[in-house]
Amino acid sequence: MDGRSMNLTVEVPRGLAGVVVTETQLGDVRGLEGFYHYRQYSAVELATSRSFEDVWQLMFRGALPADAAERAAFAAEIAPLRHLPAEVRDALPALARATALSGPLAGLRTALSLLGASAGFRPVYDLSPDRREADALAACAAVPTLLTALHRLGQGLEPVDPRDDLPYAANYLYMLTGQEPEPAKARAVEQYLISTIDHGFNASTFTARVIASTGADVAACLTGAIGALSGPLHGGAPSRALDALDAIGTADRIDPWIRERVLAGDRIMGFGHPVYRTEDPRSRMLRDIARQFGGPLVDFAVEVERHVEEILAELKPHRELHTNVEFYAGVVMELCGLPREMFTPTFCAARVVGWSANVLEQAADSKIIRPAARYSGPTPPQPVPALG
């Protein structure tokens, strides 16, 4: 029996595609149906009928607020956590200067680590469930404050302190712009945020759970997830999808622009998804939100979507390729006044709640995640060459 057979390894697809690695009660993505849910509720229905705080409570505590009093109690619990400790706040100007070329998401990795260290976050392995949740609540509440402060400092502006009286999304826009947002724009951003809280075992969520499986602290888990999210194949596409609309420019350029890139094997940002084989339900919801605003950008985006799907159906007839969440997310955020460099950070401001819920779930099971890799280099052992 050779050494390889003694390892008891199991061959799986590259990227772990379709491999079930654990059980979760947080939600699921049913790609063939074009449906996903948070716990037992349709995520899109939650986005259209509930507040961000309601869904945050659902993800952390397993149930939606039963009444207005319970909703108000949770909002009152998290609002004070938006304010940063002095030592973190004082470090942000230097951090913003250091990350001027890389942006707020890169700065967030360091800022969140600092927040966890200054707050005394300890390994989740050593904590009670209540203490783990307290750390996760503090981290989630602080992320929008950190992101908006880093962005404003990078623009030569003073950070805007959070307001305890504003809901999560409205407060985020307020800290970003310094102005209380129009209700319609705040609600549109809130619906987008709700729709992106969680979405199966994507790369960043899996990263968070791998780190949590080691027993590390909440800030370490979330910092790793942010690193995964920063990649353009994961969370970096909303602004790139909008850049594509700009590059196309006019309706008569849609066909040649798309054909040239598809035939060259380039990816069309905002189209296609590794799980969905139907229309992405998040895209459908965001398209409806965009249409409520109306205007030339929305009209052009709808026209581009129609043409691209026709061209993809012609050139790639054996694949179902539709818009994903990034395509209309970029349109909606543009309409609501968010700068493009804040599109992916805004995604992060939502997904941090989903990451944290996954961290809490993983921390309840201390089994470390440690897969195997198949060695493919030169046959060992080779003699170590003498130094010439």
Side-chain angles (χ1 to χ4, degrees):
M1 183 178 293
D2 62 28
R4 287 176 295 176
S5 59
M6 290 295 291
N7 288 335
L8 301 177
T9 57
V10 178
E11 295 292 333
V12 298
R14 289 185 64 199
L16 302 180
V19 176
V20 175
V21 296
T22 192
E23 293 184 352
T24 180
Q25 296 185 9
L26 296 174
D28 191 23
V29 180
R30 304 209 295 250
L32 295 178
E33 302 171 42
F35 171 79
Y36 74 114
H37 65 96
Y38 302 154
R39 298 200 183 263
Q40 65 268 44
Y41 304 110
S42 161
V44 171
E45 185 177 349
L46 287 169
T48 56
S49 64
R50 286 287 193 153
S51 71
F52 187 90
E53 287 83 354
D54 286 354
V55 183
W56 186 352
Q57 178 178 316
L58 170 69
M59 296 300 288
F60 270 44
R61 297 177 179 172
L64 291 163
D67 52 36
E70 188 178 346
R71 168 186 278 183
F74 186 75
E77 181 180 356
I78 60 178
L81 303 176
R82 298 170 177 168
H83 299 271
L84 302 176
E87 56 269 29
V88 175
R89 188 173 59 248
D90 292 346
L92 292 182
L95 185 55
R97 289 193 297 271
T99 59
L101 297 178
S102 49
L105 202 62
L108 179 64
R109 296 199 297 264
T110 301
L112 194 56
S113 291
L114 178 60
L115 176 74
S118 68
F121 285 8
R122 290 166 40 225
V124 294
Y125 184 80
D126 298 328
L127 302 179
S128 68
D130 286 347
R131 184 65 253 176
R132 292 173 194 152
E133 184 187 279
D135 287 353
L137 284 171
C140 291
V143 162
T145 310
L146 292 169
L147 285 172
T148 54
L150 288 167
H151 172 72
R152 289 183 64 86
L153 287 165
Q155 301 296 311
L157 302 170
E158 286 297 313
V160 175
D161 290 334
R163 277 175 46 180
D164 294 353
D165 61 312
L166 289 177
Y168 190 87
N171 183 66
Y172 178 72
L173 290 173
Y174 169 72
M175 291 190 295
L176 187 64
T177 67
Q179 302 291 326
E180 187 169 341
E182 300 172 19
K185 292 182 178 179
R187 179 56 181 158
V189 170
E190 181 175 48
Q191 288 180 271
Y192 166 67
L193 293 174
I194 294 171
S195 74
T196 53
I197 282 177
D198 192 55
H199 201 251
F201 264 38
N202 55 80
S204 55
T205 297
F206 186 52
T207 299
R209 290 192 72 127
V210 170
I211 298 172
S213 80
T214 72
D217 67 74
V218 167
C221 300
L222 298 179
T223 299
I226 295 165
L229 181 73
S230 67
L233 296 184
H234 187 12
S239 60
R240 292 171 184 244
L242 208 56
D243 291 343
L245 291 180
D246 289 344
I248 295 169
T250 57
D252 61 299
R253 282 176 43 81
I254 298 173
D255 192 282
W257 195 92
I258 296 298
R259 285 181 184 277
E260 178 182 345
R261 278 147 187 83
V262 173
L263 292 173
D266 296 340
R267 183 182 177 191
I268 307 300
M269 287 296 183
F271 286 81
H273 193 276
V275 176
Y276 289 117
R277 296 299 174 263
T278 64
E279 185 179 31
D280 188 330
R282 301 168 298 178
S283 178
R284 184 167 54 246
M285 183 195 77
L286 290 166
R287 185 199 302 120
D288 291 341
I289 293 172
R291 280 175 162 161
Q292 293 172 14
F293 287 100
L297 175 61
V298 177
D299 293 341
F300 186 56
V302 171
E303 184 73 0
V304 168
E305 178 189 21
R306 183 177 67 82
H307 277 276
V308 171
E309 291 195 345
E310 290 175 354
I311 294 168
L312 289 173
E314 173 193 339
L315 299 179
K316 296 180 178 290
H318 302 298
R319 295 186 62 189
E320 284 281 343
L321 293 170
H322 304 277
T323 53
N324 57 39
V325 64
E326 285 89 2
F327 187 79
Y328 282 105
V331 174
V332 169
M333 284 190 277
E334 181 98 338
L335 293 171
C336 292
L338 279 79
R340 294 188 189 186
E341 61 269 23
M342 289 300 289
F343 284 7
T344 300
T346 301
F347 184 103
C348 178
R351 188 56 63 85
V352 68
V353 171
W355 292 332
S356 295
N358 274 276
V359 167
L360 296 176
E361 187 176 64
Q362 184 67 43
D365 178 4
S366 59
K367 178 67 175 178
I368 192 169
I369 298 173
R370 193 194 185 285
R374 182 180 63 214
Y375 175 74
S376 59
T379 302
Q382 299 287 338
V384 177
L387 183 65

